[in-house]
mmCIF file of all heavy atoms in Angstrom:
data_model
loop_
_atom_site.group_PDB
_atom_site.id
_atom_site.type_symbol
_atom_site.label_atom_id
_atom_site.label_comp_id
_atom_site.label_asym_id
_atom_site.label_seq_id
_atom_site.Cartn_x
_atom_site.Cartn_y
_atom_site.Cartn_z
ATOM 1 N N ILE A 86 6.734 1.016 13.031
ATOM 2 C CA ILE A 86 6.588 2.457 13.189
ATOM 3 C C ILE A 86 5.132 2.838 13.397
ATOM 4 O O ILE A 86 4.809 3.684 14.236
ATOM 5 C CB ILE A 86 7.142 3.186 11.945
ATOM 6 C CG1 ILE A 86 8.643 2.913 11.805
ATOM 7 C CG2 ILE A 86 6.890 4.686 12.018
ATOM 8 C CD1 ILE A 86 9.262 3.513 10.554
ATOM 9 N N PHE A 87 4.224 2.192 12.641
ATOM 10 C CA PHE A 87 2.820 2.572 12.690
ATOM 11 C C PHE A 87 1.947 1.541 13.401
ATOM 12 O O PHE A 87 0.748 1.742 13.521
ATOM 13 C CB PHE A 87 2.286 2.766 11.270
ATOM 14 C CG PHE A 87 3.024 3.814 10.493
ATOM 15 C CD1 PHE A 87 3.837 3.469 9.432
ATOM 16 C CD2 PHE A 87 2.904 5.144 10.834
ATOM 17 C CE1 PHE A 87 4.518 4.437 8.710
ATOM 18 C CE2 PHE A 87 3.588 6.123 10.123
ATOM 19 C CZ PHE A 87 4.381 5.764 9.064
ATOM 20 N N GLY A 88 2.513 0.440 13.852
ATOM 21 C CA GLY A 88 1.724 -0.603 14.488
ATOM 22 C C GLY A 88 1.172 -0.185 15.837
ATOM 23 O O GLY A 88 1.504 0.874 16.377
ATOM 24 N N PRO A 89 0.339 -1.015 16.456
ATOM 25 C CA PRO A 89 -0.310 -0.663 17.717
ATOM 26 C C PRO A 89 0.649 -0.461 18.873
ATOM 27 O O PRO A 89 0.313 0.202 19.844
ATOM 28 C CB PRO A 89 -1.249 -1.863 17.970
ATOM 29 C CG PRO A 89 -0.696 -2.974 17.142
ATOM 30 C CD PRO A 89 -0.087 -2.335 15.958
ATOM 31 N N LYS A 90 1.863 -1.016 18.795
ATOM 32 C CA LYS A 90 2.816 -0.876 19.896
ATOM 33 C C LYS A 90 3.876 0.190 19.613
ATOM 34 O O LYS A 90 4.850 0.314 20.343
ATOM 35 C CB LYS A 90 3.503 -2.222 20.158
ATOM 36 C CG LYS A 90 2.544 -3.328 20.582
ATOM 37 C CD LYS A 90 3.275 -4.627 20.832
ATOM 38 C CE LYS A 90 2.315 -5.746 21.227
ATOM 39 N NZ LYS A 90 3.024 -7.032 21.459
ATOM 40 N N ALA A 91 3.681 0.947 18.552
ATOM 41 C CA ALA A 91 4.718 1.884 18.138
ATOM 42 C C ALA A 91 4.634 3.228 18.848
ATOM 43 O O ALA A 91 5.532 4.045 18.728
ATOM 44 C CB ALA A 91 4.646 2.095 16.631
ATOM 45 N N GLY A 92 3.553 3.471 19.579
ATOM 46 C CA GLY A 92 3.421 4.752 20.251
ATOM 47 C C GLY A 92 2.982 5.833 19.277
ATOM 48 O O GLY A 92 2.437 5.575 18.213
ATOM 49 N N ASP A 93 3.219 7.087 19.658
ATOM 50 C CA ASP A 93 2.755 8.212 18.876
ATOM 51 C C ASP A 93 3.737 8.511 17.748
ATOM 52 O O ASP A 93 4.844 8.973 17.976
ATOM 53 C CB ASP A 93 2.607 9.436 19.794
ATOM 54 C CG ASP A 93 1.980 10.610 19.064
ATOM 55 O OD1 ASP A 93 1.541 10.421 17.919
ATOM 56 O OD2 ASP A 93 1.942 11.717 19.638
ATOM 57 N N LYS A 94 3.318 8.257 16.520
ATOM 58 C CA LYS A 94 4.158 8.534 15.357
ATOM 59 C C LYS A 94 3.427 9.462 14.382
ATOM 60 O O LYS A 94 3.664 9.419 13.179
ATOM 61 C CB LYS A 94 4.524 7.228 14.650
ATOM 62 C CG LYS A 94 5.425 6.313 15.455
ATOM 63 C CD LYS A 94 6.844 6.860 15.547
ATOM 64 C CE LYS A 94 7.767 5.863 16.239
ATOM 65 N NZ LYS A 94 9.148 6.349 16.306
ATOM 66 N N GLU A 95 2.537 10.300 14.898
ATOM 67 C CA GLU A 95 1.754 11.148 14.017
ATOM 68 C C GLU A 95 2.621 12.131 13.246
ATOM 69 O O GLU A 95 2.300 12.504 12.123
ATOM 70 C CB GLU A 95 0.681 11.890 14.822
ATOM 71 C CG GLU A 95 -0.439 10.996 15.320
ATOM 72 C CD GLU A 95 -1.112 10.231 14.187
ATOM 73 O OE1 GLU A 95 -1.474 10.855 13.168
ATOM 74 O OE2 GLU A 95 -1.257 9.006 14.300
ATOM 75 N N ASP A 96 3.732 12.583 13.836
ATOM 76 C CA ASP A 96 4.617 13.504 13.118
ATOM 77 C C ASP A 96 5.179 12.853 11.864
ATOM 78 O O ASP A 96 5.248 13.473 10.799
ATOM 79 C CB ASP A 96 5.768 13.954 14.024
ATOM 80 C CG ASP A 96 5.356 15.073 14.949
ATOM 81 O OD1 ASP A 96 4.225 15.567 14.802
ATOM 82 O OD2 ASP A 96 6.154 15.458 15.824
ATOM 83 N N LEU A 97 5.589 11.589 11.994
ATOM 84 C CA LEU A 97 6.158 10.887 10.844
ATOM 85 C C LEU A 97 5.084 10.594 9.804
ATOM 86 O O LEU A 97 5.318 10.717 8.601
ATOM 87 C CB LEU A 97 6.834 9.599 11.299
ATOM 88 C CG LEU A 97 7.598 8.819 10.230
ATOM 89 C CD1 LEU A 97 8.635 9.706 9.558
ATOM 90 C CD2 LEU A 97 8.271 7.597 10.833
ATOM 91 N N ARG A 98 3.907 10.223 10.270
ATOM 92 C CA ARG A 98 2.812 9.986 9.330
ATOM 93 C C ARG A 98 2.480 11.287 8.576
ATOM 94 O O ARG A 98 2.289 11.288 7.370
ATOM 95 C CB ARG A 98 1.573 9.497 10.065
ATOM 96 C CG ARG A 98 0.432 9.109 9.126
ATOM 97 C CD ARG A 98 -0.899 9.007 9.837
ATOM 98 N NE ARG A 98 -0.851 8.167 11.002
ATOM 99 C CZ ARG A 98 -1.758 7.240 11.301
ATOM 100 N NH1 ARG A 98 -2.740 7.029 10.464
ATOM 101 N NH2 ARG A 98 -1.678 6.551 12.397
ATOM 102 N N GLY A 99 2.427 12.405 9.308
ATOM 103 C CA GLY A 99 2.152 13.682 8.670
ATOM 104 C C GLY A 99 3.221 14.075 7.667
ATOM 105 O O GLY A 99 2.932 14.615 6.596
ATOM 106 N N LEU A 100 4.475 13.785 8.004
ATOM 107 C CA LEU A 100 5.576 14.086 7.093
ATOM 108 C C LEU A 100 5.442 13.278 5.805
ATOM 109 O O LEU A 100 5.603 13.810 4.708
ATOM 110 C CB LEU A 100 6.907 13.798 7.782
ATOM 111 C CG LEU A 100 8.205 14.150 7.051
ATOM 112 C CD1 LEU A 100 9.325 14.366 8.055
ATOM 113 C CD2 LEU A 100 8.626 13.056 6.077
ATOM 114 N N LEU A 101 5.158 11.991 5.932
ATOM 115 C CA LEU A 101 5.031 11.137 4.749
ATOM 116 C C LEU A 101 3.818 11.527 3.913
ATOM 117 O O LEU A 101 3.849 11.439 2.688
ATOM 118 C CB LEU A 101 4.938 9.672 5.176
ATOM 119 C CG LEU A 101 6.243 9.087 5.740
ATOM 120 C CD1 LEU A 101 5.975 7.750 6.408
ATOM 121 C CD2 LEU A 101 7.291 8.929 4.637
ATOM 122 N N ASN A 102 2.746 11.972 4.565
ATOM 123 C CA ASN A 102 1.579 12.432 3.819
ATOM 124 C C ASN A 102 1.885 13.727 3.076
ATOM 125 O O ASN A 102 1.578 13.875 1.887
ATOM 126 C CB ASN A 102 0.394 12.644 4.758
ATOM 127 C CG ASN A 102 -0.161 11.340 5.297
ATOM 128 O OD1 ASN A 102 0.080 10.278 4.741
ATOM 129 N ND2 ASN A 102 -0.887 11.415 6.392
ATOM 130 N N ALA A 103 2.503 14.688 3.771
ATOM 131 C CA ALA A 103 2.806 15.978 3.150
ATOM 132 C C ALA A 103 3.822 15.833 2.031
ATOM 133 O O ALA A 103 3.748 16.522 1.014
ATOM 134 C CB ALA A 103 3.329 16.955 4.209
#
Side-chain angles (χ1 to χ4, degrees):
I86 297 176
F87 301 110
K90 298 180 181 179
D93 186 8
K94 293 288 186 178
E95 289 304 311
D96 279 354
L97 186 55
R98 185 196 308 226
L100 185 155
L101 290 168
N102 290 341

